[in-house]
Amino acid sequence: GENVEQHPSTLSVQEGDSAVIKCTYSDSASNYFPWYKQELGKRPQLIIDIRSNVGEKKDQRIAVTLNKTAKHFSLHITETQPEDSAVYFCAASNTDKLIFGTGTRLQVFP
Amino acid sequence: KAGVTQTPRYLIKTRGQQVTLSCSPISGHRSVSWYQQTPGQGLQFLFEYFSETQRNKGNFPGRFSGRQFSNSRSEMNVSTLELGDSALYLCASSFGTPQFAGELFFGEGSRLTVL
């Protein structure tokens, strides 16, 4: 079945720096790749997603890139702010289920 | 519009007992997915229901089961509880399949502690 690996598990950056989180997926049929943000004690919420017919998507300070050949996708956060501190989950879907990575805890220090 | 509602929010059980968790999706959403969240393991897929039918199941033992009612509300049941079942159980709803409907809307979760 589908497997999604996510790295790193923790990431600490200084405010204003960029942060990059990487994921790889196993099922080449996967065609939908969302990213969810979970703040401490809160529910996961979608922040950006990309479909397999697109290589890159941007939304203000966040962007996602997809390399279908290598079966990996990445989340890029620029000009990080303390409120970006959270756990970020990547996910992949090829049918009726969404399989998540193990999460990356991002800490942004002022 | 009301969000996804999960009950109970917290519960404590002992080994060997069984538990039933409930999830009310956003009005109009027909797909309900369940996930187990534990530190270090992320969000592990349990199962997904659509129109009262289980369409997909994750790699969990048969002690984990679920169902969906005609009003799209869903329940999951865990029998013969084990210490390792302690986790946050998250329910998420959407209009349809993730690849076509996109965003999953999560509930706040039911935190289960097994003693």
Side-chain angles (χ1 to χ4, degrees):
Chain A
E2 175 72 277
N3 183 51
V4 178
E5 294 189 358
Q6 183 172 348
H7 300 280
S9 56
T10 60
L11 180 60
S12 297
V13 300
Q14 205 74 34
E15 182 178 1
D17 288 350
S18 296
V20 180
I21 303 170
K22 299 181 179 182
C23 289
T24 59
Y25 59 98
S26 60
D27 191 339
S28 57
S30 293
N31 56 12
Y32 174 62
F33 309 91
W35 286 85
Y36 283 76
K37 175 184 180 182
Q38 186 177 28
E39 296 178 5
L40 190 62
K42 297 192 175 180
R43 68 192 82 188
Q45 291 189 299
L46 179 72
I47 55 171
I48 194 168
D49 57 11
I50 191 169
R51 297 187 185 275
S52 58
N53 58 344
V54 176
E56 184 176 3
K57 184 176 179 181
K58 289 183 180 179
D59 183 4
Q60 299 182 353
R61 295 187 297 108
I62 61 174
V64 57
T65 59
L66 171 65
N67 183 326
K68 288 176 57 181
T69 304
K71 290 192 285 186
H72 70 69
F73 56 113
S74 301
L75 177 71
H76 303 252
I77 306 174
T78 59
E79 300 173 29
T80 53
Q81 300 168 5
E83 51 265 39
D84 293 330
S85 296
V87 177
Y88 291 81
F89 293 97
C90 64
S93 174
N94 61 353
T95 54
D96 305 328
K97 59 184 178 182
L98 200 56
I99 303 301
F100 285 86
T102 50
T104 296
R105 182 172 298 279
L106 173 65
Q107 288 185 296
V108 180
F109 293 99
Chain B
K1 171 155 100 166
V4 178
T5 304
Q6 291 188 246
T7 57
R9 292 289 317 281
Y10 303 91
L11 62 167
I12 300 173
K13 295 284 187 178
T14 56
R15 281 182 298 174
Q17 288 187 310
Q18 67 94 27
V19 65
T20 298
L21 309 178
S22 178
C23 172
S24 294
I26 290 173
S27 178
H29 286 189
R30 296 169 65 186
S31 171
V32 174
S33 300
W34 288 89
Y35 290 87
Q36 181 194 65
Q37 183 171 25
T38 54
Q41 292 297 316
L43 296 163
Q44 293 190 284
F45 176 76
L46 281 156
F47 24 66
E48 187 261 353
Y49 288 87
F50 185 87
S51 292
E52 302 178 66
T53 300
Q54 185 185 90
R55 295 192 298 188
N56 271 287
K57 192 176 191 304
N59 299 322
F60 279 81
R63 300 185 297 105
F64 292 80
S65 63
R67 59 179 175 168
Q68 186 181 35
F69 302 96
S70 58
N71 61 357
S72 293
R73 189 178 71 86
S74 178
E75 288 182 349
M76 66 164 283
N77 183 278
V78 187
S79 62
T80 319
L81 284 166
E82 300 177 359
L83 295 179
D85 297 333
S86 295
L88 179 67
Y89 291 87
L90 288 164
C91 159
S93 76
S94 66
F95 284 110
T97 58
Q99 62 174 158
F100 296 116
E103 184 172 4
L104 292 184
F105 293 85
F106 283 87
E108 293 185 288
S110 293
R111 183 165 297 281
L112 170 65
T113 301
V114 182
L115 302 176

